[in-house]
Amino acid sequence: MAKNCHNDYKMKFSGDEEFPDLSLHNNHMAKVLTKDIYNKLRGKSTPSGFTVDDIIQTGVDNPGHPFIMTVGCVAGDEESYEVFKDLLDPIISDRHSGYKPTDKHRTDLNFENLKGGDDLDPAYVLSSRVRTGRSIKGFTLPPHNSRGERRTIEKLSIEALATLSGEFKGKYYPLNGMTDKEQDQLINDHFLFDKPVSPLLTCAGMARDWPDARGIWHNDAKTFLVWVNEEDHLRVISMQQGGNMKEVFRRFCTGLLKIEETFKKHNHGFMWNEHLGYVLTCPSNLGTGLRGGVHVKLPKLSTHAKFEEILTRLRLQKRGTGGVDTASVGGVFDISNADRLGSSEVDQVQMVVDGVKLMVAMEKKLEKSESIDDMIPAQK
Amino acid sequence: LSANKARAALVRRGLLSLNTTFHGSIVDEWGLAEYPDLRQHNNCMASHLTPAIYAKLCDKSTPNGYTLDQAIQTGVDNPGHPFIKTVGMVAGDEETYEVFADLLDPIIRERHNGYDCRTMTHPTDLDSSKLHSGRFDERYVLSSRVRTGRSIRGLSLPPACTRAERREVERVTVDALAGLSGDLAGKYYSLTQMTDAEQQQLIDDHFLFDKPVSPLLTCAGMARDWPDARGIWHNNEKTFLVWINEEDHTRVISMEKGGNMKRVFDRFCRGLKEVERMIQEKGWEFMWNEKLGYILTCPSNLGTGLRAGVHVNLPRLSKDPRFSKILDNLRLQKRGTGGVDTAAVGSTFDISNLDRLGQSEVQLVQTVVDGVNYLIECEKKLEKGQDIKVPAPPKGN
C-alpha cells in the first residue's frame, strides 16, 4: 500500500533525525512521547497504513497553551489504539484520571437507571443537551479516511436514519446540496456545522475534501440531531429547551439504540470494546463519548470564590454558551460532565443532574445573601 | 473486454462502485467511488483530472510513496475563484512529474502557454552578461528584484518531506551559504533559534516569512512541523536573501532599491552559481532536467522558477484603459506591492514576467527590462500629452 511505502522510505532516516521538536509544547502527546517510544513505534503501521507520525502530527503542529492541555494526537482507525498503545495508553491515563490498560469500561444506555432529572428549575436551567459520537466498524476515522469511505459512511447513515419513525422521523441535509433556505433554517436552529477552522482539527486532516459527504440529519421536532462526517463518523445529539434532562436522556438512549440496530443489521456495528468503550477519533472522547450538559444561569455562584472547586468536586466542567473555548454570556454557563471513560452514560448524566440541582440550590441561597458553606460537596 | 476487466479489477479493489446512481452526477459512468467532486471547482487540476485519468493513476505512487490523492488534495480542498485559476496540485518529489505525467503534462501545457514537455526542451541560461539596457529611470522604478527557487535532488519536496529530510535540506543549504564571501558573505537565522532582536530586525527589513496561512499551501501539507528547520539567510549588505523550507526547499532572492536590474541579475546569477558549486562539492545537486528545467513544488514555477520584477510608479499609465492589454502583450503581470494577491498602493505596482518555462533566465529578465522600459516611455509620453501605442503581442501568442 502506498502509505506503508512512504513509512518504509522514512525508516532510512534515524529516529533521532525524525524525532519532533517538542521543546515549546504543552499537550498530552508532548508530555508522554519520548525518543524510546518514538523509536519503538515508528516502524509500525495499522493495517490501513496509519503511522505514529500521523497520530502525532496535530500535536506537533499545535504546541498548545500554558493553561489548556489538549490531547495532541488522534486515532486514524480502530487499530490505532492497539498498534500504538505504548503511546496512547499513558495519554489515556493522563487524560482520564489514571485509567489503566487493564481497566474495564461499563456501558449503560438504560435511561430508566437515571434518577430524577425531570425537575431542574427552568427559571435557571434554560436548555438541556446530551451528545456523543459513534464510529462505524470497518472504516477508518476522519483523520485518515478516503473520499470513498466517507461517502459510504454517509450512505449507510442516511439509510439507517431513514428507517426511524415516530418521534424520530426526520430528514437529511447534505452540506453539499442544501438550498439557501434550508441553510438559513439550519443556522437559525443552531444546527449547522461549519468547515473546521481550528488547527487542532485541520492539522489532523479532518477537513479534507470538505464538504464532500458531510451533512446534518434532524427529526421533525428538532430535538434529535445527527452530524455526519465532522470530527467523528457520527455525532448524535438530543436536546430541548428547559431542564427536563430525564426526557433528553430518554430520547438520546432510545434513538441511539435504534440507530445502532439498523447499522448492525447491515453488518456495520459501532466500534466498541470492553476496555475503551466507544472508539472515537480523539482519545479524550473514549468511553461514553458523552457530554451531557445544560445552559444554566448562575450569575452569583459563578463569581463565588469556591465555584471552580465546587465544579471539580462534582466532576463537572464549565464552558461558555458557544461551546468549547468560548466565554459565558450574562452569567449563563454550559455545565457538563468532565468524565468520559471509566464511568457509564447513566453515571455521567446522573452527575450532571445531581450537580446542577445542587448548584441551582446554591444560587438561590446566594440570591438571599445566605451562606453556601455547608452545601459544599465532598469530592465525587 | 479489457475495459470490463479493468472495471472488475477496480471493483475488487473497492475503488469502483457498482451503484452508479450514488450521488448522481459526481459519479460518472465508471462509478468511481473515490473520484473527487470537482463540480464547483475552477483550477487546472480540476480541468484536466478526468475520471479515466484518475482511475489510471489512483493506485500508483512515486518510489518514496507519494500518491495522486496527496498531490491533488490542495486542489480538491480549494475550489478556486471564477476569475483566478490556480494550479490545484503540487509535487511531493521529483518523480511526481514522471509518475503522474498523464495529469501533469496537460496542466503544464495549459499553465505554460502550450509548452509540451514531451517534445520541447527548456533553455537554462544564467549568463547575466547577456542582459542589456538593464538600468531603469529611477524617477519611476523604486526597486528591483529577481527571485527563483531551487530544490535539492534526492530529498522530498515540502508537501511530502519528513522532518529528517527538511532538516537535511536546511543543513545542506546553510553549509553551502556559509562558504559565500565578499559581497555575498552573510548569516543564517533559524526560525526556531532567532532572538527577539533578530526577529524584529528581519521584520523591519521585510525579510521575515511567516507560517503559511493560505489554504492553498496548508492543505498541501507545507506547514507541517512549523517552524522546525525553517530559516532565513541573508548577506550582510541585505541584497541577497535565501528562504529555507518555506514553499520550496530554497527560495533565492536578489534585490536592491533603485533601478539597477543589471546589478541585481549579476548578483543573482553569481550567487546561484556559487551556491550550486558549494553543494556539488559535497555531492549534492539541484533538481533539474532538460524538459522541465528546475523542478519546484508548484508546477507554475517550473523552468526558471524566475520572477523578475520592479516596483514602479506609473500614475498616468495605470489609469489608461489600455494598461492591461499593454502588460499582456509585453508578457508582464502586475501585482500589488505586497506581492501575490495584494492590491497596489497609490499608483505603484509590482511588474514582473508572466512566463517561467520555455524561455531562459536571460530571456525572461530581458523581457522585463524591455517591457518596463516601454512602460516608462509610455508614462513619459502621457506626461507630455502624447499618445501611446499598444505594442504588438509576441509572435506565436
Side-chain angles (χ1 to χ4, degrees):
Chain A
M1 283 189 71
K3 278 273 178 150
N4 282 334
C5 226
H6 185 253
N7 205 48
D8 293 340
Y9 166 74
K10 210 187 282 187
M11 292 308 290
K12 75 179 198 193
F13 298 100
S14 75
D16 272 2
E17 288 172 320
E18 287 291 351
F19 193 76
D21 180 351
L22 301 172
S23 47
L24 299 175
H25 289 57
N26 183 45
N27 57 51
H28 286 295
M29 181 279 290
K31 292 260 170 298
V32 166
L33 185 68
T34 60
K35 283 192 175 174
D36 280 344
I37 293 178
Y38 186 72
N39 283 330
K40 185 173 180 193
L41 296 178
R42 62 187 294 252
K44 295 185 203 275
S45 71
T46 66
S48 76
F50 208 64
T51 64
V52 74
D53 279 333
D54 294 325
I55 299 246
I56 68 174
Q57 189 68 57
T58 180
V60 175
D61 289 345
N62 295 290
H65 190 275
F67 303 159
I68 300 168
M69 190 80 159
T70 47
V71 176
C73 65
V74 290
D77 48 26
E78 191 166 10
E79 296 80 358
S80 294
Y81 288 102
E82 204 32 60
V83 175
F84 302 108
K85 60 195 326 333
D86 288 322
L87 172 62
L88 291 169
D89 279 353
I91 289 174
I92 287 167
S93 172
D94 281 352
R95 184 65 178 207
H96 295 283
S97 312
Y99 195 76
K100 298 192 291 296
T102 49
D103 284 338
K104 301 267 178 280
H105 170 82
R106 208 164 43 87
T107 293
D108 183 357
L109 283 162
N110 186 348
F111 63 88
E112 285 171 350
N113 290 339
L114 182 72
K115 298 182 191 17
D118 55 354
D119 58 352
L120 297 173
D121 189 338
Y124 294 83
V125 179
L126 308 178
S127 61
S128 308
R129 180 184 188 265
V130 179
R131 70 87 158 148
T132 188
R134 288 292 185 264
S135 308
I136 303 175
K137 211 170 166 63
F139 295 93
T140 63
L141 297 171
H144 190 40
N145 58 18
S146 69
R147 284 180 292 271
E149 285 188 286
R150 213 185 287 114
R151 290 164 180 171
T152 309
I153 289 163
E154 186 192 33
K155 188 157 175 278
L156 290 172
S157 303
I158 292 172
E159 282 171 7
L161 294 165
T163 65
L164 299 178
S165 61
E167 62 173 325
F168 295 109
K169 185 163 158 307
K171 187 177 168 187
Y172 182 68
Y173 302 87
L175 250 54
N176 200 16
M178 64 175 69
T179 65
D180 285 345
K181 191 154 166 274
E182 287 168 338
Q183 184 172 296
D184 286 342
Q185 188 59 57
L186 286 165
I187 291 173
N188 289 337
D189 291 327
H190 304 288
F191 284 173
L192 190 63
F193 63 88
D194 254 321
K195 179 171 179 173
V197 292
S198 164
L200 299 177
L201 300 184
T202 56
C203 293
M206 296 195 229
R208 286 170 304 126
D209 313 311
W210 202 274
D212 196 325
R214 273 82 167 193
I216 293 162
W217 179 97
H218 69 78
N219 66 351
D220 296 338
K222 297 186 184 178
T223 54
F224 194 74
L225 172 66
V226 178
W227 290 352
V228 178
N229 286 319
E230 194 235 12
E231 185 185 334
D232 281 293
H233 288 170
L234 302 173
R235 283 286 176 99
V236 179
I237 302 150
S238 169
M239 59 212 261
Q240 66 192 53
Q241 300 295 324
N244 195 345
M245 183 59 96
K246 193 181 185 66
E247 173 62 10
V248 169
F249 191 54
R250 181 205 63 78
R251 190 183 317 114
F252 175 81
C253 295
T254 310
L256 255 182
L257 292 169
K258 280 198 199 304
I259 294 171
E260 182 161 25
E261 251 175 66
T262 320
F263 273 104
K264 275 201 186 134
K265 260 194 232 151
H266 291 92
N267 292 317
H268 284 291
F270 293 145
M271 285 184 201
W272 179 93
N273 65 60
E274 61 172 6
H275 166 51
L276 295 177
Y278 288 101
V279 176
L280 295 174
T281 303
C282 182
S284 70
N285 280 322
L286 291 167
T288 61
L290 184 144
R291 194 171 91 82
V294 298
H295 282 189
V296 56
K297 276 195 227 164
L298 298 169
K300 290 193 159 36
L301 183 61
S302 59
T303 54
H304 190 282
K306 292 220 158 79
F307 184 47
E308 299 290 339
E309 197 187 331
I310 291 167
L311 286 172
T312 306
R313 289 184 180 202
L314 292 173
R315 307 198 68 83
L316 299 176
Q317 66 172 200
K318 73 177 199 289
R319 299 183 182 191
T321 48
V324 69
D325 297 330
T326 65
S328 102
V329 177
V332 179
F333 285 84
D334 177 315
I335 303 289
S336 62
N337 54 298
D339 301 325
R340 303 268 186 276
L341 178 62
S343 51
S344 74
E345 289 81 354
V346 168
D347 292 336
Q348 290 165 11
V349 177
Q350 192 70 64
M351 276 188 252
V352 174
V353 159
D354 296 345
V356 169
K357 196 162 180 196
L358 178 63
M359 291 197 293
V360 168
M362 288 175 166
E363 181 73 19
K364 288 173 173 173
K365 278 251 164 145
L366 291 172
E367 278 171 17
K368 291 186 264 177
S369 302
E370 288 170 17
S371 156
I372 56 167
D373 288 345
D374 59 344
M375 296 170 81
I376 310 283
Q379 176 66 56
K380 278 194 175 308
Chain B
L1 186 66
S2 68
N4 282 338
K5 265 187 155 177
R7 274 187 74 113
L10 287 170
V11 167
R12 273 198 306 276
R13 254 179 264 151
L15 290 167
L16 201 72
S17 157
L18 291 172
N19 179 3
T20 59
T21 63
F22 178 55
H23 267 317
S25 59
I26 63 164
V27 170
D28 73 320
E29 70 277 6
W30 282 70
L32 278 172
E34 292 289 349
Y35 183 73
D37 181 352
L38 301 172
R39 286 175 295 175
Q40 323 280 358
H41 290 56
N42 182 42
N43 58 51
C44 296
M45 179 279 291
S47 296
H48 296 285
L49 184 66
T50 61
I53 292 182
Y54 185 80
K56 183 176 179 189
L57 300 178
C58 65
D59 52 358
K60 293 198 200 294
S61 68
T62 67
N64 296 350
Y66 196 67
T67 64
L68 178 70
D69 279 338
Q70 287 174 293
I72 67 172
Q73 189 68 61
T74 181
V76 175
D77 289 344
N78 295 289
H81 190 275
F83 303 162
I84 300 168
K85 195 163 188 183
T86 47
V87 175
M89 71 179 287
V90 291
D93 50 28
E94 189 165 6
E95 294 78 4
T96 300
Y97 288 102
E98 236 353 272
V99 173
F100 303 112
D102 285 316
L103 176 57
L104 279 158
D105 285 2
I107 288 177
I108 289 167
R109 248 197 320 273
E110 177 184 341
R111 187 65 182 211
H112 296 283
N113 306 312
Y115 184 84
D116 182 352
C117 60
R118 299 295 139 195
T119 58
M120 299 174 173
T121 55
H122 168 81
T124 292
D125 187 354
L126 285 159
D127 180 356
S128 61
S129 68
K130 293 179 184 163
L131 188 73
H132 58 83
S133 317
R135 295 199 63 154
F136 300 120
D137 186 333
E138 292 185 351
R139 288 173 296 170
Y140 301 89
V141 173
L142 310 177
S143 61
S144 308
R145 179 183 189 267
V146 181
R147 70 87 159 149
T148 188
R150 289 290 186 265
S151 310
I152 311 285
R153 177 161 277 161
L155 296 167
S156 306
L157 296 170
C161 64
T162 71
R163 281 182 292 272
E165 289 185 291
R166 205 185 291 111
R167 291 163 181 172
E168 186 76 340
V169 168
E170 186 189 36
R171 201 166 22 241
V172 169
T173 309
V174 170
D175 221 31
L177 293 166
L180 296 178
S181 60
D183 69 321
L184 294 177
K187 186 178 169 187
Y188 181 62
Y189 302 88
S190 135
L191 250 57
T192 54
Q193 315 274 23
M194 67 174 67
T195 65
D196 286 345
E198 287 169 339
Q199 181 173 299
Q200 194 52 54
Q201 186 59 56
L202 287 165
I203 291 173
D204 293 340
D205 290 329
H206 303 289
F207 285 173
L208 190 63
F209 62 87
D210 254 322
K211 179 171 178 173
V213 293
S214 164
L216 299 177
L217 300 185
T218 55
C219 293
M222 297 195 227
R224 287 171 304 126
D225 313 312
W226 201 274
D228 195 325
R230 272 83 168 191
I232 291 160
W233 181 98
H234 69 78
N235 65 349
N236 300 326
E237 301 180 11
K238 300 184 183 179
T239 54
F240 192 70
L241 171 67
V242 178
W243 289 354
I244 294 178
N245 286 319
E246 195 236 11
E247 185 184 333
D248 280 294
H249 282 175
T250 68
R251 284 286 178 96
V252 179
I253 301 148
S254 170
M255 61 212 259
E256 60 183 70
K257 291 246 179 285
N260 198 340
M261 181 60 92
K262 176 106 174 102
R263 187 163 61 202
V264 169
F265 190 48
D266 280 341
R267 183 168 54 242
F268 175 82
C269 295
R270 193 164 36 92
L272 267 176
K273 285 189 212 144
E274 265 304 288
V275 172
E276 184 163 25
R277 195 174 62 78
M278 301 280 181
I279 66 167
Q280 280 169 343
E281 273 174 17
K282 298 282 171 72
W284 297 93
E285 55 182 7
F286 291 141
M287 286 184 200
W288 178 94
N289 68 55
E290 63 172 10
K291 295 177 307 155
L292 295 177
Y294 289 100
I295 304 295
L296 294 174
T297 302
C298 182
S300 70
N301 279 322
L302 289 167
T304 60
L306 185 141
R307 194 170 90 86
V310 298
H311 282 188
V312 59
N313 202 19
L314 300 167
R316 287 167 189 72
L317 181 60
S318 60
K319 293 186 189 54
D320 191 295
R322 294 165 286 186
F323 185 43
S324 286
K325 188 84 184 118
I326 293 171
L327 287 175
D328 277 351
N329 288 359
L330 291 172
R331 301 302 301 163
L332 298 176
Q333 69 170 191
K334 73 177 197 287
R335 298 183 182 190
T337 49
V340 69
D341 297 328
T342 65
V345 176
S347 51
T348 305
F349 289 85
D350 176 314
I351 303 286
S352 63
N353 53 298
L354 267 171
D355 302 317
R356 304 268 184 274
L357 173 65
Q359 294 180 72
S360 73
E361 289 81 355
V362 167
Q363 285 172 312
L364 291 176
V365 179
Q366 192 66 62
T367 300
V368 173
V369 163
D370 296 345
V372 170
N373 279 331
Y374 189 90
L375 296 174
I376 292 171
E377 283 314 304
C378 288
E379 183 68 25
K380 286 175 173 171
K381 285 205 162 103
L382 292 173
E383 278 171 20
K384 295 185 225 154
Q386 293 168 3
D387 197 18
I388 58 174
K389 272 204 187 61
V390 174
K395 278 198 284 270
N397 273 73

